């Protein structure tokens, strides 16, 4: 992979990561989820919020795995 493509991929992954974190902050009402992870999601009252939080947290995990492998 060329340096340009690698930098471009890294930039896109960073953008996806920022978007996921912003959505998690909205759903959870704070950034406390960053230190507690899934435990924090269990405390959410609405099942739709729990599902959304799990989706975006999963997205962050995938992004981190991709970043680790490149």
């Amino acid at each position: 992979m060329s340096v340009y493509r690698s930098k471009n991929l890294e930039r896109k992954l960073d953008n996806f990561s920022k978007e996921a974190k912003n959505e998690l902050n909205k759903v959870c009402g704070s950034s406390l989820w960053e230190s507690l992870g899934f435990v924090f999601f269990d405390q959410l009252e609405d099942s739709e919020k729990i599902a959304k939080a799990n989706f975006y947290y999963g997205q962050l995990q995938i992004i981190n795995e991709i970043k680790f492998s490149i």
Side-chain angles (χ1 to χ4, degrees):
M1 183 181 295
S2 71
V3 173
Y4 172 76
R5 292 184 85 184
S6 177
K7 295 273 184 190
N8 195 28
L9 175 61
E10 190 174 323
R11 183 182 54 81
K12 287 179 181 180
L13 290 172
D14 286 341
N15 287 338
F16 286 136
S17 180
K18 287 177 189 175
E19 179 184 350
K21 286 180 181 181
N22 286 338
E23 289 298 319
L24 280 165
N25 287 338
K26 283 186 210 174
V27 170
C28 297
S30 72
S31 62
L32 189 57
W33 62 268
E34 290 187 64
S35 60
L36 298 176
F38 283 111
V39 174
F40 187 84
F41 304 153
D42 291 338
Q43 297 174 7
L44 297 172
E45 295 175 10
D46 185 4
S47 62
E48 186 176 317
K49 285 185 176 184
I50 293 170
K52 198 171 189 179
N54 283 322
F55 171 79
Y56 284 110
Y57 192 76
Q59 187 175 353
L60 279 176
Q61 296 298 347
I62 292 169
I63 291 166
N64 289 334
E65 287 180 32
I66 293 170
K67 283 183 174 183
F68 181 75
S69 66
I70 55 173

